[in-house]
């Protein structure tokens, strides 16, 4: 029996939303299905780890329905602001929600795809994902999870045997289908679509669904929902900064109302603490630059508040939005201290330390990965110059939350800069050599264990 009756807990809660929220679709019929990555650790939480490779491909490559689950995939409908321009023609154009499950803690999990074929929302696209794009998403999600960022997890990557034409990759290039695990795929753009159509009844239904299924709360209070989303997204913004991560496309259709990061296209990790560093070559104005990500996420949450005005008064929502900064400041201090192997004090000294570290990082140009590796649970090395004096003095008052006993600390820092990503992809593209990819995943998981 490949499905563990204790761990496999199927759900169909999304069907309670009804027709205005999705379109039933079919997966593409791929020429081949070659399993390239399976995340057994994540699969175990969903009761799927007992699948052998053939069964895995049947369900996560050919998309045969899981037992007692959704009968057919659902392409979700939404709108969104893309680089601050409103687009009412969005929706799942190369993905769908394939199944729902409960994890070990009882939280709802959605199995969503990327590259699974055309839908009514494909907008002349082929509905496919390049293999390189799939590899990059696995690397991003694994690295972010290790660094404490709330993120969707890559569950499966299967090569599908098609030759794709792309403007941003040497073409033709190989194709793949990715399956990700996420605590819901409801976006800010889902609410924007209902506000656009002035559909009050559907908006109230969505608020009830998100509160009940994604937050575990009763009721249909839109202000309460906004408060929860503000808190979760402020923490997400803080964790992005501590991880040195730049998402690249923080449009409102790419912000999950659970505050869980997902959809990794033109992402990058910043080499240094450079607020102007961007990930997307087309982000000419630096709208989603490293240092502007908290502002960008707050702007998107403001669009949620604007949408909820369809069924709520403005004043309490303004008050809810004002809490973003109140949550963000201690959250970024806690996240940075966690990467430094320290326990936060919960007072003004946390903010003082953050400011001192940020100033020193900018002035010195020290690499982020090198700094966090060197400072973890120990004093700053003597090689760090005078620009670090203020940070050194403040840091001395913080106790280590753990030790450096793990073997990881006797090596070199695990990083994920763009040159290494390209170096991991090159042998796959040239000779189908996945050794560097597998080695990197092992290195990331070793780092995660060392960070605790």
């Amino acid at each position: 029996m490949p499905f563990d009756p204790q761990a496999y807990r199927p759900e169909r809660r999304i069907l309670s939303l009804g027709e205005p929220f999705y379109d039933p679709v079919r997966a593409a019929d791929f020429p081949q299905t070659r399993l390239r990555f399976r995340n057994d650790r994540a699969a175990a939480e969903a009761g799927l780890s007992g699948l052998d490779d053939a069964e895995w491909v049947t369900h996560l490559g050919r998309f045969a329905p899981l037992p007692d689950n959704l009968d057919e995939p659902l392409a979700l409908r939404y709108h969104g602001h893309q680089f601050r321009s409103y687009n009412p023609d969005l929706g799942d154009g190369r993905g769908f929600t394939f199944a729902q499950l409960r994890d070990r803690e009882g939280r709802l999990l959605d199995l969503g795809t990327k590259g699974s074929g055309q839908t009514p929302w494909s907008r002349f696209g082929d509905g496919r994902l390049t293999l390189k794009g799939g590899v990059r998403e696995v690397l991003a999600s694994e690295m972010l999870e290790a660094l404490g960022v709330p993120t969707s997890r890559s569950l499966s990557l299967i090569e599908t045997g098609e030759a794709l034409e792309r403007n941003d990759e040497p073409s033709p290039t190989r194709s793949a289908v990715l399956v990700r695990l996420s605590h819901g795929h409801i976006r800010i753009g889902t609410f924007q679509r209902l506000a656009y159509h002035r559909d009050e009844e559907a908006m109230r239904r969505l608020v009830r669904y998100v509160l009940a299924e994604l937050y575990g709360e009763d009721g249909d209070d839109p202000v309460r929902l906004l408060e929860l989303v503000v808190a979760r997204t402020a923490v997400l913004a803080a964790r992005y900064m501590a991880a040195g991560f730049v998402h690249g496309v923080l449009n409102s259709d790419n912000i999950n109302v659970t505050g869980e990061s997902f959809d990794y296209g033109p992402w990058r990790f910043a080499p240094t603490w450079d607020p102007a560093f961007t990930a997307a070559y087309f982000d000419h104005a630096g709208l989603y630059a490293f240092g502007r990500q908290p502002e960008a996420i707050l702007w998107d949450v403001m669009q949620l508040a604007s949408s909820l005005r369809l069924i709520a008064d403005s004043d309490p929502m303004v008050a809810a939005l004002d809490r973003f900064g109140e949550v963000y400041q201690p959250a970024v201090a806690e996240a940075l201290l966690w990467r430094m192997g320290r326990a936060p004090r919960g007072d003004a000294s946390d903010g003082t330390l953050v400011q001192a570290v940020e100033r020193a990082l900018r002035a010195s140009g020290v690499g982020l990965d090198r700094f966090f590796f060197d400072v973890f649970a120990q004093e700053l090395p003597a090689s760090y110059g005078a620009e670090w004096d203020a940070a050194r003095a403040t840091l001395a008052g913080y106790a280590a939350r753990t030790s450096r006993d793990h073997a990881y600390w006797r090596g070199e820092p695990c990083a994920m800069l763009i040159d290494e990503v390209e170096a991991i992809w090159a042998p796959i593209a040239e000779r189908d050599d996945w050794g560097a990819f597998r080695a990197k995943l092992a290195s990331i998981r070793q780092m995660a264990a060392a960070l605790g």
Side-chain angles (χ1 to χ4, degrees):
M1 176 66 180
F3 297 95
D4 181 349
Q6 300 300 316
Y8 177 70
R9 301 168 61 188
E11 281 284 4
R12 299 158 58 94
R13 298 302 304 154
I14 195 169
L15 297 179
S16 67
L17 286 173
E19 184 275 335
F21 292 90
Y22 48 71
D23 294 275
V25 295
R26 291 185 178 182
D29 184 12
F30 299 116
Q32 65 177 231
T33 44
R34 299 184 65 188
L35 181 57
R36 295 303 195 176
F37 168 77
R38 57 178 285 168
N39 188 340
D40 283 313
R41 183 179 56 178
E45 297 181 21
L48 301 176
S49 58
L51 297 173
D52 62 28
D53 284 355
E55 293 164 333
W56 185 281
V57 167
T58 296
H59 291 293
L60 302 178
R62 298 296 181 186
F63 299 103
L66 293 172
D68 302 315
N69 220 294
L70 299 181
D71 296 326
E72 53 192 347
L74 305 175
L76 302 187
R77 304 175 183 179
Y78 46 85
H79 289 181
H81 278 88
Q82 298 186 307
F83 286 85
R84 304 286 166 90
S85 295
Y86 194 77
N87 189 342
D89 298 319
L90 299 178
D92 284 337
R94 59 172 174 170
F96 48 62
T97 297
F98 164 65
Q100 290 191 305
L101 306 163
R102 296 281 175 187
D103 67 11
R104 290 169 177 167
E105 284 74 45
R107 296 175 301 172
L108 190 66
L109 283 173
D110 284 1
L111 272 66
T113 65
K114 190 174 183 178
S116 49
Q118 291 179 313
T119 79
W121 308 103
S122 297
R123 293 182 296 159
F124 307 108
D126 61 13
R128 286 359 187 222
L129 171 69
T130 68
L131 181 61
K132 183 178 183 181
V135 166
R136 284 172 48 83
E137 179 133 352
V138 173
L139 293 173
S141 60
E142 288 279 319
M143 190 71 172
L144 289 174
E145 182 184 6
L147 292 176
V149 176
T151 178
S152 63
R153 286 174 295 169
S154 298
L155 177 65
S156 171
L157 182 66
I158 292 174
E159 188 170 358
T160 56
E162 296 177 307
L164 305 179
E165 296 292 332
R166 292 292 186 268
N167 295 327
D168 55 354
E169 288 187 37
S171 296
T173 188
R174 292 151 72 179
S175 60
V177 63
L178 177 100
V179 178
R180 64 166 74 99
L181 275 175
S182 184
H183 292 105
H185 273 91
I186 303 298
R187 312 151 190 256
I188 287 175
T190 314
F191 289 84
Q192 289 181 283
R193 180 179 179 276
L194 300 179
Y196 181 90
H197 290 295
R198 309 296 299 173
D199 193 338
E200 294 186 28
E201 190 280 329
M203 182 73 82
R204 294 185 189 280
R205 200 185 325 157
L206 182 60
V207 170
R208 285 194 298 271
Y209 177 88
V210 173
L211 283 172
E213 305 300 340
L214 307 185
Y215 281 98
E217 294 197 6
D218 295 329
D220 59 358
D221 183 357
V223 176
R224 176 56 180 160
L225 173 61
L226 182 62
E227 291 171 347
L228 292 166
V229 175
V230 164
R232 289 278 188 92
T233 53
V235 170
L236 173 64
R239 300 283 180 86
Y240 273 172
M241 299 305 290
F245 181 71
V246 188
H247 184 283
V249 191
L250 290 175
N251 296 329
S252 62
D253 59 298
N254 283 340
I255 303 296
N256 191 327
V257 293
T258 62
E260 196 172 65
S261 178
F262 76 108
D263 201 18
Y264 302 113
W267 61 268
R268 289 198 185 186
F269 283 87
T272 61
W273 194 277
D274 177 6
F277 181 81
T278 58
Y281 67 87
F282 45 82
D283 188 4
H284 305 296
L287 182 64
Y288 299 142
F290 175 52
R292 297 184 67 182
Q293 291 184 118
E295 166 203 334
I297 291 173
L298 174 57
W299 191 92
D300 287 328
V301 178
M302 291 170 64
Q303 308 320 302
L304 173 61
S306 178
S307 299
L308 290 171
R309 286 183 58 196
L310 181 67
I311 58 171
D313 294 331
S314 296
D315 288 350
M317 288 193 290
V318 171
L321 290 170
D322 286 343
R323 290 207 62 242
F324 188 94
E326 297 173 17
V327 177
Y328 173 79
Q329 293 301 334
V332 77
E334 180 180 355
L336 286 167
L337 283 161
W338 179 80
R339 282 205 74 183
M340 290 187 281
R342 267 55 173 204
R345 289 181 164 185
D347 57 27
S349 60
D350 291 349
T352 301
L353 177 61
V354 169
Q355 293 172 11
V357 167
E358 288 184 2
R359 282 195 297 268
L361 282 169
R362 293 187 68 177
S364 66
V366 171
L368 292 182
D369 300 294
R370 169 53 62 186
F371 163 71
F372 286 116
F373 186 89
D374 288 348
V375 76
F376 188 89
Q378 68 177 8
E379 294 182 1
L380 274 170
S383 58
Y384 280 65
E387 61 266 66
W388 287 93
D389 287 349
R392 191 190 308 274
T394 309
L395 192 61
Y398 281 82
R401 64 173 175 83
T402 185
S403 70
R404 294 175 64 94
D405 291 341
H406 196 282
Y408 170 75
W409 303 113
R410 296 191 287 276
E412 288 295 311
C414 177
M416 190 67 77
L417 302 183
I418 188 62
D419 289 347
E420 184 174 5
V421 175
E422 293 296 326
I424 291 169
W425 169 249
I428 297 173
E430 293 165 5
R431 54 187 182 276
D432 203 35
D433 180 354
W434 292 77
F437 173 77
R438 289 191 290 268
K440 190 62 184 182
L441 294 181
S443 177
I444 291 169
R445 292 184 177 183
Q446 183 191 45
M447 176 184 69
L451 288 171

